[in-house]
Amino acid sequence: MTCPACRHVECRRSRRRTTKDHLLSIIGLLPWRCSGCELRFYALAVPVSLYFHAHCSLCGNFELQKISAEHVRGHASFIGRMLHLPALRCDRCRHKFFSVRPLRRLPAGMVSHSAN
C-alpha cells in the first residue's frame, strides 16, 4: 500500500472505529494509516486486477500457505471442509480461510500487498 500524500510504501490497516468506516468496508474500502506521515485514508485491500486471485481478506496479502482444512475455524468452516475447498493461511497476519480462487505467485522482489 502506498500513501496518497507522501508516497511512503509502509502503510498498515487501521481499525474501523466509526460508522463511516464500517459502511465503506461493505463496498471494499478499508481504513489504512501511513507509517511515515500518519495520514489515515481509505483504499481497497487489493487492486481490482488481482482481486480474482486468492488473497487474505484481512490484509490483502498474496503470500499464502496451503494448510490442512481441520485448522480453519469459524461459523461456516464445515462447508469448506464438506466441499473440499483448499485451506489457506496468510503468512503476515496468520488468518486461516478457505478459497476457491487460484493462488497467485508474485515475482521475487514485488511487494505483495501493494494496491497501486
Side-chain angles (χ1 to χ4, degrees):
M1 180 61 59
T2 303
C3 176
C6 70
R7 301 291 180 212
H8 196 265
V9 294
E10 290 185 29
C11 297
R12 59 180 169 74
R13 280 283 309 277
S14 183
R15 289 190 178 180
R16 290 178 280 197
R17 296 178 288 188
T18 65
T19 304
K20 176 184 174 185
D21 291 347
H22 290 279
L23 290 174
L24 287 174
S25 67
I26 292 171
I27 60 170
L29 291 174
L30 303 171
W32 296 84
R33 185 166 305 274
C34 176
S35 299
C37 67
E38 294 296 319
L39 174 73
R40 191 167 191 271
F41 61 96
Y42 297 92
L44 297 172
V46 293
V48 175
S49 63
L50 298 176
Y51 186 76
F52 295 103
H53 288 87
H55 61 276
C56 178
S57 61
L58 299 180
C59 66
N61 187 20
F62 287 94
E63 296 170 17
L64 307 171
Q65 292 178 341
K66 289 186 178 184
I67 61 170
S68 175
E70 63 202 30
H71 295 294
V72 181
R73 302 280 182 239
H75 301 299
S77 61
F78 69 93
I79 295 172
R81 283 190 281 280
M82 186 175 67
L83 296 174
H84 300 286
L85 297 176
L88 304 170
R89 182 179 73 87
C90 175
D91 283 344
R92 185 180 310 138
C93 68
R94 302 178 60 87
H95 176 60
K96 298 172 190 144
F97 58 96
F98 291 104
S99 180
V100 295
R101 298 174 180 157
L103 286 174
R104 174 172 165 94
R105 300 291 179 212
L106 297 174
M110 184 174 177
V111 178
S112 62
H113 59 280
S114 174
N116 296 344

